Amino acid sequence: MSIRQFIRHVSAAVLLGAFTAAPAAAQDVTLKLHQFLPAQANVPAKILDVWADNVEAASNGRIVIERYPSMQLGGAPPELIDQVQDGVADIVWTVVGYTPGRFPRTEVFELPFMVTDARAASAAYWTMYERHMQDTDFDGIKILGTWVHGPGVIHSTDPVETPDDLRGMKIRGASRQVNALLDTLGATPVGMPVPSVPEALSKGVIDGTTIPWEVTAALKVPELVENHTEFSGAMLYTVTFVLAMNEGVFEALPADLKDAINENSGLEFSIFAGATMAELDGPARDIAKDAGNNIVTLDATQSAAWAAASQPVYDAWIADMQTQGIDGLALLREAEALMEEFSAAD
């Protein structure tokens, strides 16, 4: 047993003892929710707070969820998934790609030009989590929601219209697969969590960043760069998120409080979260437009040229999955079919 597993088992046992030692009527629970964005940013305010408020209401006030934005419990964003496993936080929201390669099956939704609709992708992601990831990638973690954001956009100091325009540019990549795409297209990928982007842009550490429109307002990106490149049809990329809970803490809850959490989590919540992020792209894009920034919208033909140039990323990912005993091509085809099925039924 690893040190981390030992700590998790001990923490769960202590917590379970605390619950069972108290009378049933006194089993009120306070849970700490930790994440990396300011409280007023879109995801905390319009997704995480909605979820937490709903859970509190469903528990008749017996669950209280304390919200800790901007890494207030300490550590850096890439540490969030360890924090929820180790019990530093009871619940975390995080970018799966902050720990590159650790959750390989999730990357099927991060491949370039793979996703066309955040709702369909979030639904497929949850379905594939239950089928393929629950007992593998996320074994030992209680996953409450899985979703992706809307279209990934390039925000840069100089205009970008063709893949060749990226050559020599230092671009912040959002995940391992986005970094692979940037490298394939000739850019120098620079990995960093979202909160580090404004300073990196202002100091010239990077020449641009890949992020969806939705978060650009909170990061003041339209004030730091004047050029934005968006695509038609399938998205340049998207990123996978999870809302995760310490498994021991969850299992120690009384059955009715488990129900309060489960009833507000899962497939419907995942679709809600992905849809909400995508819907928030528009208002943020308007800020850049109103500022007079240069928004380059590539048409279908131009976007197809980028998609063709990105094919080596697929080949490399499938080969990498094979070395890990994972059938990447099968995951890819299943994800495509599920997204198509959801879109057709919607």
Side-chain angles (χ1 to χ4, degrees):
M1 179 183 293
S2 70
I3 293 176
R4 177 173 297 139
Q5 289 172 321
F6 175 77
I7 293 172
R8 285 162 49 199
H9 285 302
V10 170
S11 299
V14 170
L15 184 57
L16 180 59
F19 279 135
T20 56
Q27 290 181 0
D28 295 339
V29 179
T30 298
L31 301 174
K32 297 177 181 178
L33 193 165
H34 199 203
Q35 54 88 20
F36 56 89
L37 286 179
Q40 67 273 19
N42 284 327
V43 170
K46 300 185 179 182
I47 297 175
L48 302 182
D49 281 350
V50 171
W51 176 86
D53 291 346
N54 287 342
V55 169
E56 290 177 341
S59 74
N60 294 317
R62 291 176 56 210
I63 294 177
V64 174
I65 299 179
E66 295 179 346
R67 299 99 193 260
Y68 292 88
S70 302
M71 302 304 299
Q72 287 180 353
L73 293 179
E79 297 173 49
L80 282 165
I81 200 70
D82 286 335
Q83 289 184 352
V84 81
Q85 288 187 282
D86 296 344
V88 174
D90 302 305
I91 303 166
V92 300
W93 170 64
T94 189
V95 176
V96 177
Y98 281 169
T99 51
R102 186 163 164 184
F103 306 101
R105 292 168 179 82
T106 66
E107 292 180 337
V108 69
F109 294 103
E110 297 183 342
L111 294 167
F113 300 98
M114 173 68 179
V115 172
T116 57
D117 176 71
R119 296 179 76 251
S122 298
Y125 182 11
W126 179 264
T127 301
M128 292 183 67
Y129 156 72
E130 291 191 311
R131 291 179 182 176
H132 306 296
M133 306 174 200
Q134 187 169 7
D135 299 322
T136 54
D137 293 33
F138 294 108
D139 184 37
I141 309 173
K142 170 70 174 176
I143 299 298
L144 306 171
T146 61
W147 69 92
V148 305
H149 61 56
V153 178
I154 299 171
H155 310 268
S156 54
T157 52
D158 296 324
V160 173
E161 294 188 14
T162 70
D164 285 343
D165 292 334
L166 284 177
R167 295 193 176 279
M169 296 181 72
K170 295 174 292 182
I171 306 291
R172 179 260 176 183
S175 71
R176 192 170 79 110
Q177 293 311 309
V178 177
N179 286 341
L181 172 64
L182 293 170
D183 184 61
T184 297
L185 299 180
T188 299
V190 181
M192 66 179 66
V194 162
S196 302
V197 167
E199 182 178 8
L201 284 173
S202 65
K203 291 185 176 181
V205 174
I206 54 177
D207 303 308
T209 183
T210 54
I211 48 175
W213 280 114
E214 169 270 323
V215 76
T216 56
L219 300 179
K220 301 188 183 302
V221 169
E223 300 174 22
L224 297 169
V225 299
E226 297 181 354
N227 298 283
H228 315 271
T229 304
E230 54 188 17
F231 295 76
S232 298
M235 303 177 189
L236 173 67
Y237 78 93
T238 191
V239 161
T240 55
F241 303 95
V242 290
L243 183 66
M245 185 171 181
N246 180 283
E247 187 173 62
V249 170
F250 177 81
E251 291 300 333
L253 294 173
D256 62 329
L257 297 190
K258 289 181 182 177
D259 290 342
I261 291 173
N262 282 334
E263 289 167 4
N264 288 283
S265 305
L267 178 62
E268 290 186 7
F269 168 66
S270 299
I271 295 170
F272 159 77
T276 300
M277 286 194 78
E279 289 165 2
L280 291 167
D281 283 337
R285 183 182 187 277
D286 289 342
I287 293 173
K289 182 179 178 181
D290 293 343
N293 286 11
N294 176 37
I295 300 177
V296 177
T297 302
L298 302 181
D299 62 25
T301 300
Q302 292 170 308
S303 298
W306 282 72
S310 72
Q311 184 58 45
V313 178
Y314 280 77
D315 299 336
W317 182 77
I318 291 170
D320 181 29
M321 292 301 100
Q322 187 173 8
T323 67
Q324 300 181 54
I326 299 170
D327 189 340
L329 183 59
L331 288 177
L332 177 64
R333 297 297 178 239
E334 184 176 355
E336 290 173 334
L338 285 168
M339 288 189 290
E340 183 177 351
E341 179 182 329
F342 180 86
S343 296
D346 192 23

